[in-house]
Amino acid sequence: AAAGSTVELGCSAQGDPAPRVQWHKERGDLPQGRHEVDQEHTLHIYAVTTADAGTYVCTAQSQLGTAAATARLRV
């Protein structure tokens, strides 16, 4: 991603009941005040900087278990 741009990382999780979906960064925190997760569980990171580079993890959890997927961001 180009510095200053907006990045969208998708995460698809379905189930009944619907799983709880959470995003986190593998080494560090999500960018304070520059991220949001929408109703489709997509992580939006605004005005990305080189400090935002790294691996992001989407975790879906329900009574049936837990699943995780990763996305690597390069800035």
Side-chain angles (χ1 to χ4, degrees):
S5 66
T6 296
V7 172
E8 296 180 356
L9 303 175
C11 181
S12 178
Q14 299 174 350
D16 188 17
R20 190 181 81 184
V21 176
Q22 291 184 302
W23 278 97
H24 72 274
K25 189 174 180 188
E26 227 174 42
R27 289 180 179 80
D29 298 321
L30 293 174
Q32 183 104 17
R34 294 186 295 111
H35 81 276
E36 71 176 338
V37 179
D38 66 21
Q39 291 184 331
E40 286 80 41
H41 312 300
T42 300
L43 173 64
H44 301 264
I45 304 173
Y46 304 103
V48 295
T49 68
T50 55
D52 298 327
T55 301
Y56 290 80
V57 182
C58 170
T59 305
Q61 186 173 17
S62 75
Q63 59 197 32
L64 298 177
T66 302
T70 60
R72 182 168 295 141
L73 174 61
R74 293 184 190 165
V75 181

